[in-house]
Amino acid sequence: MSITRSAIRSSLCLRKLDPEISRSSLPFLQEWRKCLSTATEQPPPASPLPPPPGGSPGEGRFYGKFSGFSKHALKTDIMNVLEGCSLTSDDLKFNYPRGGNLTPAAVFVQFPSLSAYDKALRNIAKKGKLYRLEKAARAQWDPIVPYEGKVVALHGIPVNAITDDIDRFLSGCLYYPGSIQFLTVQGLGTSKRVALVRFTSQTQAMNAYITKNRNFLLNQRITLQVLQ
Amino acid sequence: MASHLFTRSRISLLKTLKPNPFTSASPIRAISGTPFLSQDPLLATESTDHDPSNHQSTSTPLPPNPATGSPLYQENWRSPIPNTPSFNQSLVPLGFLNQAPAPRIRALSETLDMNSLLNMFADWTASQRWSDMKQLFEVWVRSLDKNGKPNKPDVNLYNHYLRANLMMGASAGDMLDLVAPMEEFSVEPNTASYNLVLKAMYQARETEAAMKLLERMLLLGKDSLPDDESYDLVIGMHFGVGKNDEAMKVMDTALKSGYMLSTSVFTECVRSCVAKGRTDTLVSIIERCKAVDRNKSLCPSWILCNYIAEVAIQEDNSKLAFYAFEFMFKWITRGEMARPSVIFSVDEGLVVAGLASAARTCSSSLVEGSWTILKQSLRGRKAANPASYIAKINAYASLGNLQKAFTSLHELESAYADSEKEVVEEMLSPFTSLYPLVVACSKKGFETLDEVYFQLESLSQGDTPYKSVAALNCIILGCANTWDLDRAYQTFEAISASFGLTPNIDSYNALLYAFGKVKKTFEATNVFEHLVSIGVKPDSRTYSLLVDAHLINRDPKSALTVVDDMIKAGFEPSRETLKKLRRRCVREMDDENDDQVEALAKKFQIRMGSENRRNMLFNIDYSRGRALNN
């Protein structure tokens, strides 16, 4: 029940953000730019922020690096593995290495206390030791940009595809048309095109994943991946 | 003080007196003991030394002078003679032991018969005395038995000999050379003999020779037919050197003949098929393993099962995905039975992907398998994610199984009945999440829609009534999609009249959509005004649908008015809506309103792009080509 409630709360938190975004595009664009340019904005907030939280809440926090999960793992799956550690969706950040092929290398977890971290280690031992959990520093946690399950990556985009083709592929889904951006990721010796699309909510992103995955775009089958 | 001194002096006197007898006794004993020890070895070795020692021993008791005793004592201790015989005695047995094996082996070969030799070889196998086995066998076959005839080994005895050679590092060629002489002893090689040769080939990775030997075994037949071990060795050999095609062929033969595969060979085969993307081949192999009782227990590792599932879902091979989930189910069950228990769980993201694949491939078994393993993983302690339910509904909708689809919808509504209203509305919206269900309801037009409606009506009047606005919304939108306004309106009215429920915003949106499609713009506007008047809050889609209604009526001015109302209500017009509006303005050559649309696009920073692809079709000049041809 606690996990369900935390899941509901996390969805509530996500839900609260939506009206602000839908009412006007300016906050969304600003927030999006902030997410994309976190690296440059990190130094200025670092200096004023550390003193106040360092006193009381900073000491209780403990960070871990979780690995060994499969490609299809969701945040709820990892919260199920780390059961009883009082984690919410916001306490998990999937790390997608820049320049990689959008395969998550690890998940950085923010534990409320050291005892929660120890309990997580015991849970992993109980699960057959399929996973690994290591200590991590806060410096590793802060720079990661969370996608919150709202961004979908379209793998296998043809070379001659344009934004209109992506629009047609995603017809019927609720997404932000202006958020379509193309990347080039390095596969096995060859570079591939990937399109990132931001949806209005987690539900819409999963709906697109369920209905549009492995469909055709200009004679090519597209593989969708929901970034967590 | 004086008494103490006196007592101490007495004690000291006693101490000095007591040792005297011991000291006098010990030399006597020493003297008496030494002559006996020295006399025996002297007698045993040399007679020349005997006389002087005897002489000295006889002279010892005559003079009581201690001066003569001490030289004798020293002389006895310094004499090196007693040590030499013991040293010689210790060397002789070692030499004797070193010389023993050859004669001993010869003796054993002359006395042992075949059964005794078999037992001895069995013992030596346990202690790994390969060299002795080899030598004894080679001597034995050259010896004669009790009746004076040459010894003849049987195939079991010869196999021991082959194994000894194999363990001593014989190559495959050497092993084959050793098998050849079996004919001279009138012994036919059997399967075990050839398996030993195959092991040598396995170590040397000689795949071609192994294939030829396997064919030879098959040709000879009878006692030398290949068995489980033969096939395992050959298949494992081919996988080891990367000849996967050859390995598959041999495995095909083995499975046809009903042989049992080893876990390592099965795992290697699975890994190879998955890596090469041969999902159909893997399905075939798994199915044939299931058909044979002895191969039913084969199961890849947990990590490999996950990998199989991922590849199967990627390739849309529903059978392979089902088998992967089945293997995982075995792991989960086995883990729970173990002590201490190991808790395996399938990732829900993988199950969602599996359900989506089931929808694409219309595989009902994969739907059932996915959902079963998801429930097993959650262990009843947590509800599945909404995405899992939506994927399941989508799968059943694509299968055309509407009854199960609505049952799944019921499960979703029950699981998240306590959630936030807005979240539930988004999950249960017929325009997005449940749209596949809407399409399925409209598959045969009014026929399917009526059937579904009557089913829902009967369910609502049953013992455990099931009433769902979301289900009825699907029917209304289905009617709208098929331009069936009357049915849509009747279903909308039935929400409150027959089911006793309250329509939500999706109900009104669907009805508004139905009116708009058949150009009843005035009625659509009335629906909008009605829902606003009774306090239902319109959402972004409500305004978009109203804009569409006006555009269908070719009234861009009224549509723009609705867009303005939309903006006042705090919503942002979507790119699609603005593009539709611009298109209608262009068609109507309404430049004034077109400018307003452009202004709105700039205001909300929406890039509308061009209409090149649409204009290609719209501006086709049919007569131009003919003119050119003429």
Side-chain angles (χ1 to χ4, degrees):
Chain A
M1 287 302 295
S2 61
I3 294 173
T4 307
R5 288 175 183 173
S6 62
I8 294 168
R9 286 173 186 172
S10 63
S11 62
L12 287 175
C13 294
L14 295 169
R15 189 60 185 172
K16 288 176 182 176
L17 294 174
D18 289 344
E20 299 175 5
I21 295 172
S22 61
R23 290 214 170 95
S24 59
S25 62
L26 289 175
F28 160 69
L29 289 176
Q30 290 176 1
E31 182 181 347
W32 191 32
R33 285 167 185 170
K34 286 178 183 176
C35 291
L36 293 179
S37 63
T38 301
T40 56
E41 293 184 1
Q42 183 185 3
S47 52
L49 285 180
S56 48
E59 290 180 357
R61 300 299 177 120
F62 204 84
Y63 296 93
K65 179 183 177 183
F66 184 86
S67 58
F69 51 93
S70 70
K71 189 167 61 177
H72 288 90
L74 306 174
K75 278 191 178 181
T76 51
D77 292 320
I78 295 176
M79 285 160 65
N80 287 343
V81 174
L82 307 177
E83 196 175 10
C85 300
S86 305
L87 295 174
T88 63
S89 185
D90 299 324
D91 292 325
L92 301 173
K93 283 189 180 180
F94 276 62
N95 182 29
Y96 298 94
R98 185 171 293 274
N101 58 349
L102 290 174
T103 301
V107 176
F108 287 93
V109 188
Q110 182 179 237
F111 293 96
S113 62
L114 181 58
S115 61
Y117 177 82
D118 292 332
K119 184 159 190 177
L121 286 174
R122 286 196 296 272
N123 278 5
I124 286 170
K126 200 192 304 179
K127 305 279 184 178
K129 299 180 181 177
L130 296 168
Y131 310 100
R132 284 204 318 168
L133 182 61
E134 304 163 316
K135 293 184 180 179
R138 174 155 191 160
Q140 294 174 284
W141 161 270
D142 286 335
I144 298 175
V145 179
Y147 292 101
E148 299 170 351
K150 294 183 180 178
V151 177
V152 173
L154 281 69
H155 294 269
I157 302 290
V159 178
N160 55 333
I162 59 177
T163 306
D164 288 345
D165 299 314
I166 306 294
D167 287 335
R168 192 170 301 106
F169 182 81
L170 295 172
S171 67
C173 303
L174 299 184
Y175 63 100
Y176 299 109
S179 69
I180 297 173
Q181 60 173 359
F182 292 93
L183 304 177
T184 302
V185 299
Q186 295 296 325
L188 294 173
T190 60
S191 61
K192 300 174 181 177
R193 287 186 86 201
V194 177
L196 295 184
V197 185
R198 190 172 193 88
F199 286 76
T200 56
S201 68
Q202 277 187 0
T203 304
Q204 299 305 327
M206 288 307 290
N207 287 347
Y209 177 73
I210 291 163
T211 55
K212 302 294 183 180
N213 194 17
R214 304 298 291 165
N215 281 359
F216 284 90
L217 189 153
L218 298 182
N219 295 335
Q220 290 244 37
R221 297 197 79 176
I222 306 299
T223 302
L224 268 67
Q225 176 191 356
V226 180
L227 303 183
Q228 300 291 312
Chain B
M1 292 298 293
S3 62
H4 287 290
L5 288 173
F6 181 71
T7 55
R8 286 179 182 175
S9 62
R10 285 184 179 179
I11 292 167
S12 64
L13 285 173
L14 290 172
K15 285 182 179 178
T16 54
L17 285 172
K18 285 181 179 179
N20 285 334
F22 291 104
T23 53
S24 62
S26 59
I28 296 169
R29 292 181 180 178
I31 291 168
S32 63
T34 306
F36 294 104
L37 289 175
S38 63
Q39 286 177 5
D40 292 340
L42 288 173
L43 288 171
T45 53
E46 295 178 10
S47 60
T48 57
D49 292 342
H50 175 70
D51 292 339
S53 63
N54 286 340
H55 178 68
Q56 291 177 0
S57 65
T58 54
S59 65
T60 303
L62 292 177
N65 192 356
T68 57
S70 59
L72 179 59
Y73 179 82
Q74 291 176 0
E75 185 176 355
N76 287 333
W77 277 106
R78 289 178 181 177
S79 175
I81 296 172
N83 293 330
T84 308
S86 62
F87 181 69
N88 290 332
Q89 288 178 0
S90 64
L91 284 177
V92 169
L94 289 177
F96 180 72
L97 288 174
N98 288 334
Q99 296 170 9
R104 191 182 176 211
I105 286 177
R106 191 172 297 113
L108 287 172
S109 64
E110 292 171 358
T111 56
L112 290 171
D113 63 347
M114 192 169 65
N115 291 329
S116 304
L117 198 60
L118 271 172
N119 292 331
M120 179 163 288
F121 278 359
D123 294 336
W124 284 1
T125 302
S127 55
Q128 298 189 17
R129 296 174 62 175
W130 309 118
S131 178
D132 293 344
M133 288 174 68
K134 183 178 176 183
Q135 293 182 31
L136 181 51
F137 182 86
E138 288 169 346
V139 175
W140 186 83
V141 293
R142 298 192 183 96
S143 305
L144 304 177
D145 61 359
K146 298 174 184 178
N147 301 326
K149 296 180 180 178
N151 285 320
K152 288 189 175 181
D154 71 344
V155 67
N156 291 325
L157 193 65
Y158 207 94
N159 286 342
H160 277 293
Y161 177 57
L162 291 175
R163 178 158 185 198
N165 282 275
L166 176 68
M167 300 306 292
M168 291 176 68
S171 66
D174 296 338
M175 295 294 289
L176 282 171
D177 293 339
L178 290 170
V179 169
M182 292 174 79
E183 295 179 4
E184 299 175 7
F185 297 106
S186 303
V187 177
E188 290 292 333
N190 65 355
T191 306
S193 312
Y194 287 120
N195 282 350
L196 290 165
V197 182
L198 283 174
K199 284 181 180 176
M201 294 176 173
Y202 181 92
Q203 292 172 6
R205 302 299 194 195
E206 299 180 6
T207 54
E208 294 178 1
M211 285 300 294
K212 290 179 180 176
L213 186 59
L214 194 69
E215 290 168 3
R216 182 176 167 187
M217 292 166 76
L218 288 166
L219 284 175
L220 292 173
K222 207 172 182 181
D223 291 331
S224 62
L225 275 172
D227 65 350
D228 302 340
E229 191 178 10
S230 312
Y231 282 111
D232 272 2
L233 286 165
V234 178
I235 296 167
M237 199 186 309
H238 281 91
F239 277 129
V241 300
K243 296 185 177 180
N244 296 327
D245 292 336
E246 299 291 334
M248 292 300 173
K249 289 178 184 174
V250 180
M251 182 175 283
D252 191 71
T253 306
L255 288 173
K256 279 180 181 175
S257 308
Y259 288 102
M260 188 173 70
L261 299 178
S262 68
T263 303
S264 60
V265 163
F266 180 73
T267 301
E268 197 62 39
C269 166
V270 166
R271 201 183 305 274
S272 168
C273 287
V274 168
K276 296 289 178 63
R278 294 178 177 170
T279 52
D280 289 330
T281 305
L282 185 50
V283 169
S284 172
I285 288 168
I286 290 173
E287 283 174 346
R288 280 188 286 178
C289 287
K290 282 168 166 288
V292 181
D293 287 338
R294 299 197 294 175
N295 288 324
K296 276 184 178 177
S297 61
L298 288 170
C299 189
S301 66
W302 174 261
I303 294 175
L304 191 51
C305 287
N306 276 272
Y307 187 50
I308 294 168
E310 287 178 14
V311 172
I313 289 163
Q314 181 80 2
E315 301 289 332
D316 276 337
N317 195 318
S318 59
K319 275 190 173 181
L320 185 57
F322 177 81
Y323 290 138
F325 285 146
E326 203 173 31
F327 287 138
M328 289 182 197
F329 191 88
K330 286 183 184 176
W331 275 109
I332 292 173
T333 308
R334 196 185 300 173
E336 288 173 354
M337 291 179 177
R339 290 287 176 270
S341 64
V342 181
I343 302 172
F344 288 109
S345 296
V346 179
D347 289 331
E348 195 160 357
L350 187 63
V351 173
V352 171
L355 288 164
S357 181
R360 292 192 294 272
T361 58
C362 293
S363 170
S364 60
S365 60
L366 181 52
V367 178
E368 302 295 338
S370 302
W371 198 252
T372 300
I373 198 168
L374 178 60
K375 285 194 291 184
Q376 189 76 16
S377 295
L378 296 174
R379 295 178 173 84
R381 288 186 290 181
K382 176 181 173 294
N385 278 346
S388 301
Y389 286 105
I390 292 168
K392 191 181 166 192
I393 293 167
N394 179 41
Y396 281 131
S398 71
L399 283 164
N401 198 330
L402 292 174
Q403 185 172 353
K404 287 193 173 179
F406 280 102
T407 304
S408 302
L409 177 59
H410 182 26
E411 292 171 8
L412 172 58
E413 290 178 289
S414 303
Y416 289 92
D418 301 328
S419 300
E420 187 81 1
K421 184 184 177 185
E422 291 178 353
V423 176
V424 173
E425 279 190 355
E426 188 180 23
M427 289 192 311
L428 302 178
S429 169
F431 292 92
T432 51
S433 302
L434 302 181
Y435 193 73
L437 189 52
V438 171
V439 173
C441 290
S442 327
K443 192 149 288 185
K444 296 180 180 177
F446 67 90
E447 181 183 340
T448 312
L449 290 162
D450 281 349
E451 183 183 343
V452 172
Y453 176 81
F454 289 134
Q455 280 285 334
L456 289 172
E457 197 172 40
S458 63
L459 282 174
S460 68
Q461 299 167 1
D463 295 334
T464 56
Y466 165 60
K467 300 180 180 181
S468 169
V469 178
L472 293 166
N473 289 346
C474 291
I475 299 176
I476 299 172
L477 187 55
C479 296
N481 281 339
T482 56
W483 285 270
D484 201 336
L485 173 59
D486 293 333
R487 268 190 176 75
Y489 196 83
Q490 289 172 25
T491 311
F492 179 85
E493 283 187 328
I495 291 178
S496 53
S498 302
F499 290 83
L501 300 166
T502 305
N504 59 10
I505 186 59
D506 285 320
S507 311
Y508 285 103
N509 284 347
L511 184 62
L512 202 149
Y513 183 56
F515 277 115
K517 276 179 86 84
V518 295
K519 289 184 72 173
K520 294 185 179 297
T521 316
F522 181 71
E523 287 81 353
T525 307
N526 284 342
V527 169
F528 178 79
E529 291 168 358
H530 173 70
L531 70 90
V532 170
S533 66
I534 64 174
V536 178
K537 186 181 179 183
D539 58 6
S540 176
R541 180 172 289 107
T542 312
Y543 290 102
S544 298
L545 291 171
L546 199 56
V547 169
D548 289 350
H550 286 295
L551 292 177
I552 289 170
N553 200 32
R554 304 188 181 187
D555 190 357
K557 186 176 181 60
S558 302
L560 266 172
T561 305
V562 174
V563 171
D564 291 335
D565 295 340
M566 182 182 192
I567 295 167
K568 288 175 186 174
F571 296 106
E572 178 184 338
S574 66
R575 179 163 170 250
E576 190 177 356
T577 299
L578 291 186
K579 287 187 80 171
K580 287 178 185 175
L581 201 47
R582 182 179 71 171
R583 205 175 302 131
R584 177 49 56 193
C585 291
V586 169
R587 301 284 185 269
E588 300 290 332
M589 300 191 178
D590 193 341
D591 294 335
E592 181 182 350
N593 287 322
D594 189 36
D595 292 338
Q596 287 192 39
V597 173
E598 294 290 343
L600 286 172
K602 288 182 180 179
K603 179 182 177 183
F604 293 102
Q605 300 185 23
I606 296 174
R607 298 188 304 110
M608 300 224 282
S610 61
E611 301 283 343
N612 290 334
R613 291 180 186 245
R614 283 178 179 270
N615 290 341
M616 285 177 190
L617 297 174
F618 186 74
N619 294 329
I620 282 179
D621 192 347
Y622 292 96
S623 61
R624 185 178 178 184
R626 188 166 300 174
L628 288 176
N629 287 339
N630 292 336

